[in-house]
Amino acid sequence: MLPRRIGASVGLSAMIGLLGWRRRALAPSGVAGAVVVGTAVHLAGGWRWSTVLLSFFGTSSALSRLRKSGAKLESGHEIEARGSQRDLVQALSNGGVATAVAVMQMARPSSRLEAAFAGSFAAANADTWATEIGKTSGSRPRLITTGALAPTGTSGAVTLRGLLAAAAGSSVITAVDVATSSAAGKARRAAGMSAAGFFGALVDSLVGATIQASYYCPSCDKPTERKIHGCGTPTRLESGFAWCNND
């Protein structure tokens, strides 16, 4: 029975990964990451957990495609180190916590681990929605630490639209989790998980504004997260630590 479950989990994850690759939501290495994360998730929580995972992947991938349109999105993309396709590192950055929780759940099932699993994707979804929808804001983002104006796409900078998007992104994952759960106390679970997901996105912004590496291109006179800017010029570290990137 176990080999059959493993085979079904790998097969399902591979199909989803290949679909993401065909739609250009995943890079080839991202397909491998999707298989690793998807297999562990399906083995631990079956279709219920897989539904939470698919809700995150589907909504976040759709929003990430907005990077390809609009002047505001392009200006943000110029700062960021990655494009709209998720690679192996990104897949594990978003799903690594959930994968670790899934392994622990298989070893020793717990209702707290179930909440931690959904909460990890609530935070990841909140961060993704805040980033993608926040870029469409007509107002300049402000650093979460000082309130100073910053270029669109700057890590650690937020807008009101982005904050509202973070709350919505967290709530979507929470709604999927609660709707598919048979546990008691759904209202309390939903409130706590929505708040935790939103708080996770705020922590991500705080890290982005403080210790994440921020570079400067002397040729273009522009900030960036890249060690080599899009123009081909090596950049210099302006703030943060080189070992801490967006992933």
Side-chain angles (χ1 to χ4, degrees):
M1 188 66 180
L2 182 58
R4 184 177 297 180
R5 279 192 64 192
I6 294 175
S9 298
V10 172
L12 174 65
S13 302
M15 287 176 59
I16 295 170
L18 290 173
L19 179 61
W21 174 70
R22 289 193 63 182
R23 294 188 175 183
R24 299 183 179 180
L26 292 173
S29 66
V31 176
V35 171
V36 171
V37 175
T39 298
V41 166
H42 190 69
L43 283 174
W47 286 105
R48 194 175 87 77
W49 281 29
S50 294
T51 301
V52 173
L53 168 60
L54 290 173
S55 298
F56 162 72
F57 177 71
T59 60
S60 62
S61 295
L63 286 174
S64 293
R65 294 179 69 85
L66 291 175
R67 293 174 183 267
K68 297 182 179 180
S69 63
K72 287 187 176 64
L73 300 190
E74 289 301 325
S75 65
H77 175 68
E78 191 174 71
I79 291 178
E80 295 164 356
R82 296 190 180 275
S84 60
Q85 286 187 316
R86 298 177 186 273
D87 60 14
L88 175 62
V89 174
Q90 280 187 301
L92 295 179
S93 294
N94 285 297
V97 171
T99 302
V101 170
V103 172
M104 290 188 285
Q105 178 74 355
M106 285 186 280
R108 189 173 182 178
S110 166
S111 59
R112 291 185 177 182
L113 289 175
E114 289 186 11
F117 164 79
S120 71
F121 278 124
N125 210 46
D127 177 59
T128 301
W129 281 39
T131 299
E132 303 302 340
I133 296 177
K135 289 180 194 173
T136 68
S137 175
S139 59
R140 288 270 303 277
R142 294 180 178 273
L143 289 175
I144 195 171
T145 49
T146 64
L149 291 171
T152 299
T154 301
S155 290
V158 300
T159 63
L160 176 59
R161 182 178 295 185
L163 292 173
L164 292 174
S170 178
S171 296
V172 164
I173 297 299
T174 297
V176 172
D177 172 73
V178 171
T180 57
S181 174
S182 59
K186 288 189 176 184
R188 181 179 179 182
R189 180 187 180 98
M193 191 173 296
S194 293
F198 179 75
F199 180 72
L202 291 183
V203 171
D204 179 86
S205 295
L206 182 62
V207 170
T210 53
I211 67 173
Q212 180 181 326
S214 178
Y215 298 90
Y216 170 77
C217 175
S219 177
C220 300
D221 189 27
K222 290 181 178 180
T224 180
E225 294 178 356
R226 307 177 184 183
K227 293 182 179 180
I228 303 295
H229 197 222
C231 67
T233 303
T235 59
R236 66 169 183 259
L237 183 67
E238 285 284 284
S239 62
F241 300 93
W243 55 264
C244 183
N245 59 25
N246 192 274
D247 295 320

